[in-house]
Amino acid sequence: MTKSRDPSALPAGKEGIMERQFLKGNEAVAEAAILAGCRFFAGYPITPQNEIPEYMSRRMPAAGGVFLQGESETASVCMVYGAASVGTLAMTSSSGPGISLKAEGISTLAGACLPAVIVNVMRGGPGLGAIQAAQSDYLHATKALGHGGFRVIVLAPSTVQEAIDLTYKAFGLAVQYRNPVMVLMDGWIGSMMEPVTLPEAKEPVTFSYTGWGAKYFNPSGVGVNVVTSCLLEPEYQELLNIRAGEMYEEWKEKEVLAEEYLLEDAEYVIVAYGTAARAARTAIGELRGKGIRAGMIRPISLYPFPVEHLKRLDRSRVKFLLDTEMTLPVQMMDDIRLAVADAIPVHSCGRSGGVILTNEEIVEAVELAIAKEAR
Amino acid sequence: MEKKITVAGFGGQGVMVIGQMLGYASCKAGRNALFLPKYGPEQRGGTANCSVTISDGEIGAPVSRYVDTLIAMNQPSLEKFLGSVRPGGIILLNSSLCRWEGKRTDVRVAEIQADAIALEIGSPKVANIVVIGAYIQLSGALSEQEMLDAIEEKLGKRPELLEMNRKALRTGMERVTLKE
């Protein structure tokens, strides 16, 4: 075991705030969680997210919280359920295969209306896949993180600074909606280092379970402090489902986040998130240098998906969209096509299995699609 | 100004430290920087490489097909990444462990005897600092003082360590040679 650094030397000190630092994505996410008031972390090792639990193991006790390495992924997410049940802001992190193992627990958190933050630092899949970075879990995160038909807000950073800001925000959303929130980053964001500024430390909030939660859909449960995702009576379960549905609709109104990049005159629009969006940004500069008017819509919230951003594209000007992802086959395609109702052609571009996507490949994909459309 | 660099070598040669130190120093000097390590499941004896981008503007793609500079710490790394240097770019060789065979004529080639110099200074561990010295001399990406500030902050303030690192950096700057 390597020698621990002095926890007081870590960046949360008062002097540390606002100072520009050079931090690794995974460590930055862990620090952002603590600054947001997270005081419980449980996890189990898996590449490429290991720096999150490693950082938490020395930083969380210093912040007055609890770090636990569970005996498995399943145990870890259940410990998070326990911490949330007694009103503590809690987090767990993993990568693809580990998130699958946490699926039961995440569904149970959603069923019991408990807030928690889950970080997925994606690698190549399916199965154990590759340990290198990929964007292989879009469908899992946005459509069905577990059984039972629930949704979570999914936030996807494309820089280390954004990973900090979105993790910090995720805790607020989890408490506000009493629902788990997922931060979905690819392994490159987790392992890269960039200059960042950390936000202010928030006092850890504690929330009471009494008076809300799944049990309160049953009038006879009011006043009883029981945390459960099991309602038994079908009518009360249905009430919970209806309320959840209303909440998801509310997210579509209030919680959509996306960046529009050089769209004003764009004829070719790349749709990309995370590291793929960074490569696309460079590619757009190169394409514009050749006189090709490219732009980008970068979904930041993957769920709710930025449908309106796509809908309001000028269909007379935009010749095609290019779904650009680090996974094959690409996974956002259905959401994009639904949003534009097939009024704009959608092409795809990607690398998979842990192979990084370069700006040159995106430039070539745009040029190839232009040639195809001209035929 | 944006410079993209690949640093490659054996695990244990301080490849990641070279990349991280260039990043730390650029961040401290108020520039943008991105450091991206790439390694397989192995710990020691395997290959290790990292990408560094230093920029005055926003950094997009973390990795591009072509880089401005390749720092090759050993022969296999030189062979593997030879083709990734853009025409007109620089290849900086650790000539203690690799030999230039003239496989490309469209790049500039510089040499530094990193391991030999490190031994001369008193520790094989500072070979990577020698290479950093050679790189900043060649590229002008960072000043000696900017680099020293970062080295002092990150690699220890103990006077004997600092002195050795200072010497390694300076010697790297002085002894790097461009091949004709």
Side-chain angles (χ1 to χ4, degrees):
Chain A
M1 171 124 183
T2 52
K3 200 173 66 181
S4 293
R5 272 185 265 161
D6 173 11
S8 63
L10 290 164
K14 282 203 178 69
E15 319 74 57
I17 292 168
M18 302 310 290
E19 194 189 315
R20 208 159 166 261
Q21 305 179 50
F22 195 58
L23 290 187
K24 181 176 268 243
N26 282 334
E27 296 192 339
V29 159
E31 183 59 34
I34 288 171
L35 293 174
C38 174
R39 287 298 179 269
F40 183 89
F41 179 91
Y44 189 81
I46 183 171
T47 303
Q49 62 85 55
N50 284 324
E51 294 91 350
I52 297 177
E54 194 262 343
Y55 186 92
M56 285 294 196
S57 70
R58 56 172 197 268
R59 181 74 175 96
M60 190 57 106
V66 172
F67 165 85
L68 256 167
Q69 180 171 318
E71 67 270 35
S72 69
E73 284 85 352
T74 313
S76 307
V77 73
C78 291
M79 289 170 189
V80 165
Y81 181 98
S85 301
V86 295
T88 303
L89 282 181
M91 176 166 114
T92 186
S93 64
S94 193
S95 183
I99 298 292
S100 287
L101 292 167
K102 290 181 197 289
E104 178 193 12
I106 300 170
S107 175
T108 308
L109 281 162
C113 308
L114 286 173
V117 173
I118 295 125
V119 181
N120 180 359
V121 187
M122 293 181 282
R123 61 192 232 169
L128 287 178
I131 64 168
Q132 283 81 9
Q135 297 181 314
S136 47
D137 301 334
Y138 174 89
L139 287 172
H140 188 211
T142 60
K143 308 297 177 203
L145 258 179
H147 65 278
F150 70 97
R151 299 294 177 115
V152 306
I153 293 175
V154 180
L155 304 172
S158 83
T159 63
V160 176
Q161 182 66 56
E162 201 172 45
I164 291 172
D165 299 343
L166 293 178
T167 304
Y168 195 73
K169 183 183 173 67
F171 284 93
L173 292 171
V175 172
Q176 182 185 344
Y177 293 110
R178 286 165 179 155
N179 201 68
V181 175
M182 172 160 276
V183 176
L184 187 71
M185 21 190 244
D186 55 76
W188 298 122
I189 307 287
S191 38
M192 70 173 57
M193 296 177 82
E194 285 190 292
V196 294
T197 309
L198 288 165
E200 246 174 75
K202 280 187 194 166
E203 279 302 308
V205 296
T206 51
F207 44 91
S208 167
Y209 197 81
T210 312
W212 60 277
K215 200 70 184 167
Y216 283 78
F217 287 95
N218 179 346
S220 72
V222 173
V224 184
N225 207 7
V226 177
V227 182
T228 182
S229 72
C230 183
L231 283 166
L232 291 178
E233 303 86 347
E235 292 78 9
Y236 301 138
Q237 182 63 50
E238 186 185 41
L239 274 178
L240 181 135
N241 298 143
I242 290 167
R243 197 203 67 162
E246 288 165 358
M247 176 171 75
Y248 306 153
E249 290 308 308
E250 189 183 341
W251 294 349
K252 291 173 190 171
E253 296 293 317
K254 296 182 184 164
E255 307 300 348
V256 173
L257 289 170
E259 181 195 355
E260 295 179 330
Y261 182 63
L262 300 180
L263 281 189
E264 300 73 24
D265 62 344
E267 294 178 314
Y268 313 102
V269 176
I270 296 168
V271 186
Y273 70 95
T275 296
R278 299 183 69 124
R281 196 181 297 274
T282 302
I284 288 165
E286 291 165 358
L287 286 162
R288 285 192 170 254
K290 297 179 178 189
I292 297 170
R293 288 202 284 272
M296 173 166 63
I297 292 178
R298 178 172 71 89
I300 299 170
S301 63
L302 301 184
Y303 192 90
F305 192 71
V307 174
E308 293 303 321
H309 291 73
L310 284 154
K311 264 191 183 167
R312 64 172 175 250
L313 285 173
D314 182 345
R315 291 168 189 207
S316 60
R317 190 186 63 234
V318 177
K319 299 198 169 69
F320 63 77
L321 301 170
L322 185 73
D323 178 358
T324 303
E325 299 179 54
M326 292 200 307
T327 188
L328 290 172
V330 291
Q331 299 183 25
M332 270 193 302
M333 183 62 91
D334 295 345
D335 286 334
I336 296 170
R337 289 182 59 188
L338 269 176
V340 296
D342 283 339
I344 307 175
V346 190
H347 294 262
S348 70
C349 160
R351 296 304 299 262
S352 200
V355 181
I356 197 162
L357 179 68
T358 65
N359 44 300
E360 291 92 342
E361 283 163 314
I362 300 175
V363 168
E364 286 159 11
V366 169
E367 289 174 336
L368 183 69
I370 290 172
K372 273 188 191 164
E373 288 295 324
R375 251 181 247 151
Chain B
M1 191 278 297
E2 181 167 306
K3 290 188 190 303
K4 271 193 163 18
I5 307 144
T6 298
V7 191
F10 293 130
Q13 279 189 301
V15 164
M16 299 302 171
V17 174
I18 295 175
Q20 277 182 25
M21 293 313 299
L22 291 173
Y24 276 124
S26 308
C27 171
K28 239 176 124 66
R31 257 163 255 160
N32 276 329
L34 186 147
F35 163 76
L36 183 65
K38 281 172 275 176
Y39 29 55
E42 64 273 40
Q43 286 184 314
R44 279 194 203 94
T47 57
N49 73 83
C50 63
S51 301
V52 184
T53 310
I54 301 171
S55 177
D56 294 323
E58 192 181 359
I59 298 174
V63 172
S64 296
R65 195 176 287 160
Y66 300 107
V67 294
D68 302 294
T69 306
L70 166 66
I71 300 178
M73 295 295 283
N74 61 21
Q75 195 73 30
S77 302
L78 174 62
E79 310 285 336
K80 184 173 174 188
F81 293 101
L82 186 67
S84 70
V85 182
R86 69 164 170 80
I90 302 175
I91 297 178
L92 172 59
L93 302 176
N94 171 13
S95 50
S96 295
L97 291 175
C98 35
R99 204 154 43 89
W100 179 246
E101 287 161 349
K103 284 185 187 161
R104 279 185 69 174
T105 50
D106 59 344
V107 291
R108 289 190 294 154
V109 179
E111 294 185 325
I112 184 78
Q113 286 210 314
D115 291 280
I117 294 169
L119 277 176
E120 222 175 275
I121 290 170
S123 166
K125 286 186 190 168
V126 297
N128 55 353
I129 308 295
V130 174
V131 169
I132 293 175
Y135 173 72
I136 62 171
Q137 175 70 28
L138 279 175
S139 65
L142 289 153
S143 73
E144 183 179 11
Q145 194 54 49
E146 285 169 340
M147 212 55 239
L148 272 178
D149 288 348
I151 288 173
E152 183 175 342
E153 191 181 313
K154 292 294 166 188
L155 298 182
K157 292 183 170 63
R158 269 171 41 210
E160 67 277 19
L161 275 183
L162 189 60
E163 193 40 46
M164 205 181 283
N165 282 329
R166 190 192 303 272
K167 216 167 157 182
L169 189 73
R170 169 53 65 88
T171 316
M173 292 177 73
E174 286 170 357
R175 303 254 292 261
V176 64
T177 52
L178 262 174
K179 278 177 102 74
E180 285 311 313

